[in-house]
């Protein structure tokens, strides 16, 4: 029986590589005493998260898209800021297939607008409140209550 753990290398070879921090250490003074001798501290680089295409866009002169919450076959849902009343909302950007003729696309958008107006009339604790339907370039953007919670997928 071997006492080397079955390692394929000799006893004088290194068993792991030397790990180095991703950034060189930067000398900084002690935070509470600027006259103290500098200590070595690693300053992590801040990398901005990738920006969603469309983030920052203003919808209907009022709703600023902040981040994409999710997307599916019927559209994309954005977290947005209602700049008029200063609250966060969810905004659904509808999606219809590109291959549809213009008349069918217009009919689909009109049906979505009507359905959003009907949903806005509902008042129930288990139903998200619809605040507004903003029509931009002929497409209805549905503005809803933003419900925070864990992902259920």
């Amino acid at each position: 029986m071997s006492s080397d753990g079955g390692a394929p290398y000799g006893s004088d070879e290194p068993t792991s590589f030397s790990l180095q921090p991703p950034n060189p250490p930067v000398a900084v003074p002690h935070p509470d005493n600027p006259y103290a001798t500098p200590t070595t501290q690693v300053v992590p680089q801040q990398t901005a998260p990738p920006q969603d295409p469309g983030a920052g866009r203003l919808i209907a002169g009022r709703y600023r898209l902040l981040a994409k919450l999710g997307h599916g076959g019927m559209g994309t849902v954005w977290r947005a800021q209602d700049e008029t009343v200063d609250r966060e909302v969810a905004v659904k950007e509808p999606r219809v297939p590109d291959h549809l003729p213009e008349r069918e696309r217009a009919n689909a958008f009109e049906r979505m607008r009507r359905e959003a107006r009907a949903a806005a009339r509902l008042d129930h604790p288990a139903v998200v409140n619809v605040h507004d339907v903003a029509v931009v370039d002929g497409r209805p953007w549905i503005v809803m209550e933003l419900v925070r919670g864990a992902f259920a997928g």
Side-chain angles (χ1 to χ4, degrees):
M1 190 159 172
S2 170
S3 64
D4 66 357
Y9 41 79
S11 61
D12 59 343
E13 294 180 33
T15 58
S16 65
F17 294 101
S18 173
L19 299 177
Q20 299 294 324
N23 301 318
V26 178
V28 294
H30 189 275
D32 298 326
N33 184 354
Y35 301 105
T37 57
T39 58
T40 302
Q41 180 180 9
V42 176
V43 179
Q45 285 184 337
Q46 297 286 334
T47 57
Q51 181 105 2
D52 290 318
R57 182 175 173 195
L58 190 65
I59 302 299
R62 173 175 184 169
Y63 306 105
R64 177 83 52 196
L65 302 182
L66 301 175
K68 188 185 298 185
L69 294 175
H71 65 277
M74 294 299 292
T76 302
V77 178
W78 296 86
R79 182 173 58 88
Q81 181 72 25
D82 182 341
E83 295 184 347
T84 301
V85 296
D86 193 29
R87 70 174 165 193
E88 283 196 343
V89 294
V91 178
K92 183 173 184 178
E93 173 186 11
R95 177 181 303 135
V96 296
D98 292 333
H99 68 275
L100 287 180
E102 186 59 36
R103 181 176 174 164
E104 288 183 40
R105 291 173 62 83
N107 286 342
F109 287 139
E110 178 59 26
R111 187 173 60 250
M112 287 178 193
R113 188 184 65 76
R114 282 194 316 264
E115 288 174 2
R117 289 184 67 189
R121 293 184 187 106
L122 298 177
D123 184 21
H124 190 276
V127 177
V128 171
N129 290 322
V130 175
H131 298 308
D132 192 9
V133 178
V135 179
V136 178
D137 297 329
R139 297 186 330 170
W141 292 64
I142 303 166
V143 181
M144 303 168 281
E145 167 188 15
L146 179 63
V147 179
R148 298 188 184 274
F151 178 66

